């Protein structure tokens, strides 16, 4: 097994060129480096080297929904998209509301070896919104859970939300709120507006998201806790976050790639690939989200990768499942929506998709390309433009809204803990990656 | 025409052609022998995921009078109610050899989904989908208006300058939507009259006048046509309005309002009616009412639609 | 492609006058006579024939109507959707009448077959005759015309155009070959 990799001529996020020497799972050296004997050389001329991407919002579906995705296939999708760390949402079956479930997910991730898999714990038992889950046990488990979320459902009870915010502070945790007033969105299907009325699909008003965010930033201020808002989708939500930050409230916010590129007009096709929670919004919302990313109001981009089997999408809109896969396409969508439009540079991309999500999630040591750091590196070719295709997907499900759509850039190589998980655009076979992961962890124990 | 999914995309010429063919079909329905051989050998499936005996029977009569073989496939008691997917049902119908599928479905967009999938190649006719559209109802309404206004000289005519007030639960009405698009295309002016809870969100962006006041619309607008929509009791439970009495008092076409209407104006209702709630018996049974004509015309219009979809060479097939 | 005029206005008028006389002669007057034009130009020709007959033997009775055959055609599926036309049967119907169907060009005979089917839905005429301004041959069914303006043997590749004043602004028959 080749342990030493020399990446030559890569463009660092800041714009400078550098070789990167990786050995023993860490970055050894940056600069102009002569190839050590027996090393693998990767020619990265023209490629951007980003710190391994970190996704704070992934649905891996295991345990319980293995027909859609497993920890293994989901982390393969992550590797294909340049991700080296993924936070697995709690809405599995059983729900990740106990130490047992989160430790299981952690182990599955370690066995697969494609990425650091960090489980997210449920805020309430069974995601029912009634009683706090075993937050302390999960925080102190081997999975060391720091992010808690009922994602897919909103913690809508104000008192429960307040208690949750207070309680997780004890473990340096953060609540990631899925902001959706349940009464205002009963049976809702798409963004509420003249289009939803025309199409006869039940409207999902922006205010259902904005009112919850407004309440929660006030609660976070009141109890002095840290709050993270999942998948902001409206211009109004941006305004609330901007106000909260100006007030000094400890809130962070995320946007998904799809909310930065796609709009509700796609729903005209009634093609359920475009059905997602929160729904695709209007043009002006997309522009507001992009501007908020550019000015720092929105802190991170997270995929909300939500795999579903084909029968959940090949049906009437009303019966279709919410969600899109997004790991494999995320970086290309971000380039298309933000970089190509000159709203952000690659330095910002490294912050939005790696450093800040790592910081919010309590992932120590991730998010930077520097000597001594774990060798989590993504090499991205920004010069390509191609039609996104089903062969670009590496997970189990194909419910991508980008199939057939022109996207910029492509991830060429992903290194996780110093070994390749994506090699020249191809996902490295599972047994090779698992062996690298085992070798890495034995070495760690040996040290 | 490959499919008939909505009135939104119908051009003025297409709409008038369809209404004109419906005139010819209507003439044939006055004959001793009402059956035409036009669709002999074609198989038409009535795929009804929602109960609607009236609409199903109207389509069945239309298809049979064109000599098509009609298969009724209703969700109740079939594999559909046992969780079979729309896709599997469509593929089954394709295997049976359906040339046309008339679909009624509670989910908006289900007919379009069927038409744009590769599950089945048949012509798809939307017989009402969720709160989206009900194109043949709008066509029969336009046909009825045109006949009342232009009589025997209807062929080739549009509805230019005609004012139509549509009163009732616009929010949940596919009939109101299909009527709005078609009537606008034909040159009519549409006013939606309802309490604000029953006006669709964002309807201000639609090419319709919005009114919360029926009396004002009737007295100031003096509409040529007043179309009442059925009010469903379950709307009260969902807090769209407090109770029947209040609804009927402000938005029902009662005797007093009816008496104040122009004597040459038309009263329409797609049925089934709630007499005494959205419409009084006096209005419903008056000479100005077209309620029964609408039912009769429905068969002619549906014959025309089936003819347009299924008789000629298959477009894009 | 070359276009040749085969009938001019005077020829058409002469042909229709002759056909009108032949119809009267064979029917021994206008009793029970009903002339039904087949849309589009057959209707105009039928009206002209009826006008000529009225000039020779005036009658109070409505002689002429029109019968649409679209819904009875056997070739609907091989053409883009055809537009139908109104049918207008003279008061008194066709029961026991002598019907003269009028069409502009008699070709395969399929239109006339459809017209015979359509007629059957209105009743049982005593006899059905056929008048055509042009008979171009190439019959695909055992149908022949009783009254013919002009026999015009033609190749299948040729196209025959009947133009009438009311619709086209000119009376003429041309052949494109």
């Amino acid at each position: 097994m080749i342990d030493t990799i020399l990446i030559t001529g890569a463009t660092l996020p800041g714009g400078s060129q550098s070789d990167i020497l990786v050995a023993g799972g860490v970055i050894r050296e940056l600069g102009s480096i002569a190839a050590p004997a027996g090393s693998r050389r990767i020619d990265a001329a023209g490629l951007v080297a980003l710190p391994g991407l970190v996704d704070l919002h992934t649905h891996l579906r295991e345990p319980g929904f293995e027909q859609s995705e497993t920890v293994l296939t989901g982390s393969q999708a992550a590797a294909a998209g340049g991700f080296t760390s993924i936070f697995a949402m709690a809405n599995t079956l059983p729900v990740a509301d106990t130490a047992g479930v989160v430790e299981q997910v952690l182990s599955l991730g370690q066995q697969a070896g494609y990425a650091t898999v960090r489980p997210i714990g449920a805020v309430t038992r069974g995601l029912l919104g009634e009683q706090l889950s075993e937050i302390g046990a999960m925080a102190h488990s081997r999975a060391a859970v720091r992010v808690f979320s009922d994602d897919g459902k909103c913690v809508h009870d104000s008192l429960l939300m307040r208690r949750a915010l207070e309680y997780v502070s004890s473990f340096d945790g953060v609540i990631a709120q899925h902001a959706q007033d349940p009464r205002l969105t009963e049976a809702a299907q798409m963004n509420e507006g003249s289009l939803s009325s025309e199409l006869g699909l039940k409207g999902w008003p922006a205010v259902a998201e904005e009112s919850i965010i407004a309440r929660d930033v006030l609660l976070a201020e009141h109890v002095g806790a840290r709050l993270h808002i999942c998948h902001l989708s409206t211009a109004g939500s941006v305004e609330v976050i901007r106000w909260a930050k100006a007030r000094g409230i400890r809130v962070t916010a995320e946007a998904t790639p799809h909310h930065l590129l796609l709009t509700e007009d796609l729903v005209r096709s009634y093609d359920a690939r475009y059905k997602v929670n929160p729904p695709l919004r209007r043009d002006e919302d997309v522009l507001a989200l992009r501007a908020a990313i550019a000015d720092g109001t929105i802190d991170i981009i997270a995929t909300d990768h939500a795999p579903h089997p084909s029968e959940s999408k090949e049906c009437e809109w009303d019966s279709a499942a919410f969600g899109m896969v997004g790991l494999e396409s995320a970086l290309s969508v971000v380039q298309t929506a933000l970089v190509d439009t000159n709203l952000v540079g690659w330095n910002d991309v490294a912050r939005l998709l790696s450093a800040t999500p790592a910081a919010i999630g309590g992932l120590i040591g991730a998010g930077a390309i520097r000597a001594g750091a774990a060798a989590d590196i993504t090499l991205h070719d920004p010069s390509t433009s191609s039609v996104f295709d089903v062969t670009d997907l590496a997970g189990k499900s194909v419910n991508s809204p980008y199939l057939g759509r022109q996207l910029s850039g492509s991830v060429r190589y992903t290194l996780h803990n110093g070994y390749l998980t994506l090699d020249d655009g191809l996902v490295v076979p599972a047994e090779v990656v698992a062996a690298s992961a085992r070798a890495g962890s034995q070495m760690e124990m040996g040290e | 025409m490959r499919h008939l999914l909505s009135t939104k995309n119908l051009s003025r010429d297409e709409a008038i052609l369809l209404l004109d063919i419906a005139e010819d079909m209507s003439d044939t329905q006055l004959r001793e022998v009402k059956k035409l051989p036009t669709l002999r050998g074609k198989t038409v499936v009535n795929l009804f995921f929602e109960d609607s005996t009236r609409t199903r029977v109207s389509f069945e009569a239309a298809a049979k009078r064109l000599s098509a073989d009609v298969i009724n496939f209703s969700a109740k008691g079939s594999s559909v109610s046992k969780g079979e997917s729309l896709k599997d049902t469509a593929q089954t119908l394709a295997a049976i050899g359906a040339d046309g599928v008339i679909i009624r479905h509670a989910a908006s967009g289900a007919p379009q989904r069927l038409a744009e999938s590769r599950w089945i190649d048949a012509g798809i006719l939307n017989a009402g989908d969720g709160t989206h559209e009900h194109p043949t109802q709008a066509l029969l309404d336009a046909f009825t208006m045109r006949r009342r206004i232009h009589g025997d000289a209807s062929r080739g005519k549009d509805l230019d300058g005609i004012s139509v007030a549509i009163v009732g639960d616009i929010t949940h009405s596919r009939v109101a939507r299909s009527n709005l698009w078609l009537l606008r295309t034909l040159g009519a002016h549409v006013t939606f009259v309802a309490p604000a809870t029953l006006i669709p969100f964002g309807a201000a962006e639609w090419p319709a006048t919005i009114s919360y006041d029926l009396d004002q619309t009737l007295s100031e607008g003096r509409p040529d046509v007043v179309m009442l929509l059925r009010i469903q009791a379950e709307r009260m439970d969902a807090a769209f309005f407090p109770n029947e009495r209040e609804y009927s008092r402000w938005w029902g076409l009662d005797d007093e309002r009816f008496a104040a209407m122009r004597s040459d104006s038309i009263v329409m209702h797609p049925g089934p009616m709630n007499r005494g709630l959205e419409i009084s018996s006096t209005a419903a049974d008056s000479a100005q009412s077209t309620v029964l004509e609408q039912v009769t015309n429905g068969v002619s219009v549906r014959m025309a639609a089936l003819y347009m979809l299924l008789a000629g060479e298959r477009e894009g097939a | 492609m070359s276009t040749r005029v085969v009938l001019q206005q005077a020829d058409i008028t002469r042909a229709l006058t002759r056909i009108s006389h032949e119809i009267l002669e064979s029917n021994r007057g206008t009793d029970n006579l009903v002339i039904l034009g087949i849309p589009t130009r057959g209707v105009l020709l039928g009206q002209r024939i009826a006008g000529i007959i009225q000039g020779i033997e005036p009658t109070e009775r409505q002689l002429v109507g029109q019968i649409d055959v679209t819904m009875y055609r056997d070739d609907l599926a091989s053409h883009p959707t055809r537009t139908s036309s109104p049918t207008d049967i003279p008061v008194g119907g066709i029961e026991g009448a002598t019907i003269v169907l009028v069409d502009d060009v008699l070709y395969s005979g399929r239109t006339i077959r459809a017209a015979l089917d359509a007629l059957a839905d209105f009743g049982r005429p005593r006899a059905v005759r056929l008048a055509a301004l042009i008979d171009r041959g190439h019959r695909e069914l055992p149908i022949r015309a009783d009254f013919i303006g002009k026999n015009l043997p033609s190749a299948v590749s040729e196209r025959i155009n009947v133009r009438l004043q009311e619709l086209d602004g000119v009376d003429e028959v041309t052949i494109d070959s």
Side-chain angles (χ1 to χ4, degrees):
Chain A
M1 189 183 300
I2 297 163
D3 178 48
T4 306
I5 298 173
L6 178 66
I7 299 164
T8 60
T11 305
L12 297 177
S16 61
Q17 310 262 312
S18 175
D19 301 338
I20 305 168
L21 181 66
V22 170
V26 296
I27 298 172
R28 297 286 175 195
E29 193 183 348
L30 298 172
S32 183
I33 304 160
S39 65
R40 159 92 188 259
R41 182 170 174 276
I42 293 171
D43 179 3
L47 305 186
V48 176
L50 295 166
L53 306 185
V54 177
D55 189 16
L56 198 63
H57 194 146
T58 304
H59 295 273
L60 291 179
R61 303 298 187 216
E62 189 178 5
F65 305 100
E66 289 85 355
Q67 76 277 20
S68 303
E69 196 82 282
T70 62
V71 173
L72 172 64
T73 61
S75 49
Q76 285 175 325
F83 288 87
T84 54
S85 300
I86 48 181
F87 284 77
M89 274 298 174
N91 59 342
T92 49
L93 191 69
V95 168
D97 55 5
T98 61
V101 178
V102 294
E103 287 191 353
Q104 182 197 356
V105 172
L106 179 79
S107 307
L108 288 167
Q110 286 169 338
Q111 280 159 31
Y114 281 93
T116 301
V117 175
R118 290 290 300 265
I120 291 173
V123 178
T124 66
R125 263 161 64 173
L127 306 178
L128 295 174
E130 290 163 0
Q131 238 179 319
L132 290 182
S133 61
E134 295 172 16
I135 288 172
M138 290 189 279
H140 291 299
S141 74
R142 209 158 51 75
V145 177
R146 288 294 173 270
V147 182
F148 297 87
S149 181
D150 275 2
D151 181 66
K153 290 188 173 169
C154 180
V155 182
H156 62 92
D157 182 303
S158 312
L159 180 62
L160 197 64
M161 185 62 184
R162 173 197 170 142
R163 296 285 183 246
L165 285 167
E166 289 172 321
Y167 194 68
V168 299
S169 309
S170 333
F171 311 99
D172 192 29
V174 62
I175 299 287
Q177 173 68 300
H178 172 114
Q180 176 190 354
D181 184 307
R183 278 286 279 161
L184 284 174
T185 53
E186 267 170 28
Q189 298 292 328
M190 69 170 290
N191 181 46
E192 182 168 79
S194 64
L195 184 62
S196 64
S197 294
E198 179 193 322
L199 297 179
L201 294 174
K202 196 136 189 296
W204 187 306
V207 64
E209 173 174 312
E210 294 154 2
S211 59
I212 295 290
I213 297 177
R215 180 200 71 178
D216 287 353
V217 295
L218 291 171
L219 281 175
E221 177 179 45
H222 183 64
V223 302
R226 200 150 72 89
L227 169 70
H228 178 71
I229 302 294
C230 298
H231 43 52
L232 250 74
S233 70
T234 76
S237 298
V238 168
E239 286 309 309
V240 176
I241 296 290
R242 192 169 280 142
W243 174 85
K245 286 189 165 182
R247 240 173 118 83
I249 297 170
R250 295 165 68 202
V251 60
T252 52
E254 87 191 21
T256 70
H258 47 270
H259 288 113
L260 296 172
L261 191 67
L262 309 178
T263 62
E264 61 171 5
D265 295 309
L266 292 164
V267 182
R268 279 191 184 283
S269 64
Y270 292 101
D271 183 339
R273 279 191 300 141
Y274 303 115
K275 181 169 174 177
V276 66
N277 175 355
L280 299 178
R281 305 285 189 182
R282 307 162 307 162
D283 255 333
E284 43 270 54
D285 294 304
V286 168
L287 295 176
L289 291 182
R290 288 182 184 184
I293 283 180
D295 72 16
T297 303
I298 292 176
D299 303 87
I300 67 164
I301 295 166
T303 68
D304 196 2
H305 179 81
H308 288 290
S310 63
E311 62 268 23
S312 301
K313 289 292 189 178
E314 283 194 324
C315 56
E316 308 87 299
W317 182 277
D318 282 0
S319 343
F322 288 98
M324 317 170 153
V325 295
L327 282 167
E328 301 97 324
S329 50
L331 193 52
S332 285
V333 174
V334 166
Q335 183 184 335
T336 306
L338 298 174
V339 181
D340 291 354
T341 53
N342 295 318
L343 286 167
V344 305
W346 291 109
N347 227 352
D348 301 307
V349 172
R351 170 175 51 82
L352 291 160
L353 275 161
S354 185
T356 309
I360 294 170
L363 204 60
I364 295 149
I369 296 181
R370 55 175 168 74
D376 282 359
I377 301 170
T378 300
L379 296 175
H380 176 74
D381 181 357
S383 69
T384 66
S385 175
S386 57
V387 174
F388 196 77
D389 184 78
V390 71
T391 57
D392 293 317
L393 295 172
K396 221 173 197 180
S397 295
V398 295
N399 53 308
S400 166
Y402 306 108
L403 298 175
R405 183 179 277 268
Q406 193 84 22
L407 292 179
S408 299
S410 60
V411 178
R412 303 310 309 164
Y413 299 90
T414 307
L415 280 87
H416 174 52
N417 285 337
Y419 54 87
L420 285 163
T421 55
L422 184 77
D423 187 350
D424 199 16
L426 295 173
V427 175
V428 175
E431 58 279 9
V432 176
V433 168
S436 302
R438 274 198 306 276
S441 63
Q442 278 159 8
M443 194 175 67
E444 234 169 75
M445 279 185 244
E447 276 180 1
Chain B
M1 200 181 283
R2 184 85 173 79
H3 307 289
L4 179 58
L5 303 175
S6 81
T7 58
K8 186 116 201 281
N9 302 322
L10 274 186
S11 69
R12 181 181 172 282
D13 286 351
E14 282 174 319
I16 288 177
L17 175 63
L18 210 148
L19 296 180
D20 287 354
I21 291 176
E23 284 286 349
D24 296 335
M25 294 296 184
S26 165
D27 287 350
T28 68
Q29 298 311 296
L30 303 173
R31 298 179 194 168
E32 192 97 343
V33 181
K34 294 182 174 62
K35 200 176 179 98
L36 296 167
T38 317
L39 296 181
R40 217 151 53 96
K42 303 271 186 192
T43 300
V44 171
V45 176
N46 259 328
L47 179 58
F48 274 54
F49 290 86
E50 255 186 358
D51 280 339
S52 172
T53 309
R54 299 163 65 98
T55 307
R56 187 181 55 73
V57 165
S58 179
F59 270 110
E60 189 171 345
K64 284 184 168 166
R65 289 193 185 159
L66 290 170
S67 300
D69 293 317
V70 181
I71 298 172
N72 283 315
F73 196 110
S74 72
K76 279 227 174 98
S78 76
S79 51
V80 170
S81 58
K82 293 170 195 141
E84 183 180 88
S85 73
L86 183 62
K87 178 179 171 179
D88 289 336
T89 305
Q91 287 175 337
T92 302
L93 298 182
I96 286 169
D99 298 290
V101 175
I102 297 159
I103 175 175
R104 158 75 62 113
H105 203 294
S108 300
Q112 186 179 330
R113 196 81 174 103
L114 214 53
E116 289 173 3
S117 73
R118 288 162 192 228
W119 309 330
I120 186 168
D121 185 45
I124 307 295
L125 205 160
N126 181 1
D129 63 327
T131 53
H132 177 225
E133 287 225 31
H134 191 356
T136 57
Q137 178 70 43
L139 284 159
L140 78 88
D141 289 339
F143 181 90
T144 304
M145 289 177 212
R146 197 173 76 153
R147 269 237 170 141
R148 277 277 176 136
I149 291 159
H150 296 295
D152 286 342
S154 286
R155 284 187 180 80
K157 297 265 171 55
D158 59 17
L159 294 171
D160 197 26
I162 303 298
S163 57
V164 181
I166 302 179
V167 188
D169 184 357
I170 312 294
T171 296
H172 301 94
S173 175
R174 49 197 172 208
V175 175
R177 285 167 177 75
S178 284
N179 260 297
L180 172 62
W181 311 127
L182 180 64
L183 291 170
R184 287 293 302 172
T185 300
L186 292 173
H189 181 87
V190 177
T191 304
F192 284 148
V193 189
T197 46
L198 295 179
I199 295 284
F201 187 86
E205 294 170 38
W206 289 358
T209 304
I210 307 293
S211 163
Y212 305 134
D213 187 337
L214 179 57
D215 287 316
Q216 189 185 4
T217 299
L218 291 180
S219 64
E220 291 174 12
R222 309 291 285 161
D224 300 292
V225 180
V226 177
M227 182 187 297
L228 293 316
L229 301 174
R230 180 178 170 80
I231 284 295
Q232 304 197 332
E234 64 259 32
R235 305 296 174 219
M236 280 182 291
D237 307 332
F240 285 97
F241 56 92
N243 58 42
E244 292 189 6
R245 203 159 46 86
E246 178 151 325
Y247 180 85
S248 149
R249 174 149 175 228
W250 296 106
W251 293 282
L253 186 65
D254 58 16
D255 289 353
E256 201 182 328
R257 290 192 176 102
F258 175 64
M261 280 172 58
R262 268 168 43 198
S263 61
D264 64 341
S265 58
I266 304 168
V267 175
M268 305 184 78
H269 194 299
M273 294 182 280
N274 291 306
R275 288 171 184 260
L277 176 50
E278 71 261 5
I279 187 169
S280 75
S281 280
T282 311
D285 299 334
S286 70
Q288 285 163 258
S289 160
T290 62
V291 173
L292 291 175
E293 275 163 65
Q294 286 170 269
V295 176
T296 309
N297 294 339
V299 177
S300 306
V301 163
R302 288 171 177 132
M303 287 173 77
L306 288 168
Y307 172 75
M308 297 268 286
L309 254 55
L310 302 178
E313 208 172 27
R314 290 298 298 280
E315 291 167 42
Chain C
M1 192 188 72
S2 72
T3 301
R4 175 163 63 88
V5 177
V6 288
L7 294 183
Q8 292 178 324
Q9 184 169 30
D11 305 318
I12 293 173
T13 306
R14 251 195 316 277
L16 294 178
T17 307
R18 179 169 50 74
I19 288 173
S20 303
H21 280 284
E22 287 173 3
I23 291 171
L24 275 176
E25 197 172 319
S26 81
N27 196 55
R28 298 190 179 87
T30 60
D31 283 358
N32 293 323
L33 180 65
V34 173
I35 297 167
L36 293 176
I38 297 173
T40 309
R41 285 170 184 74
V43 173
L44 303 174
L45 294 171
Q47 285 163 356
R48 289 196 197 182
I49 289 170
I52 296 169
I53 287 175
Q54 286 284 9
I56 305 165
E57 286 194 23
T59 165
E60 296 287 292
R61 202 165 57 80
Q62 185 193 345
L63 273 185
V64 65
Q66 64 183 66
I67 185 156
D68 183 59
V69 308
T70 311
M71 298 300 153
Y72 297 84
R73 301 196 71 102
D74 63 4
D75 59 354
L76 287 169
S78 51
H79 292 84
T81 307
R82 290 170 187 265
T83 306
S84 59
S85 300
T87 288
D88 174 23
I89 303 292
V91 183
I94 64 163
E95 198 69 30
T98 297
I99 306 293
V100 179
L101 295 170
V102 183
D103 206 357
D104 50 356
V105 178
L106 177 60
Y107 188 23
S108 67
R110 287 179 189 271
T111 303
I112 306 306
R113 187 213 54 81
L116 292 172
D117 279 358
L119 268 184
D121 283 356
F122 288 93
R124 185 175 180 280
R126 193 185 66 78
V128 183
R129 312 277 180 224
L130 173 61
L133 180 60
I134 304 292
D135 182 349
R136 63 171 296 190
H138 305 291
R139 214 76 76 243
E140 292 166 6
L141 295 171
I143 281 170
R144 63 168 180 78
D146 302 277
F147 315 106
I148 298 169
K150 185 173 174 60
N151 278 301
L152 200 58
S154 61
V156 173
S157 61
E158 289 174 320
R159 194 187 145 79
I160 293 181
N161 309 296
V162 175
R163 297 196 180 84
L164 297 175
Q165 190 73 44
E166 299 91 320
L167 265 181
D168 313 300
V170 61
D171 270 6
E172 66 175 18
V173 178
T174 62
I175 182 162
D176 298 338
S177 51

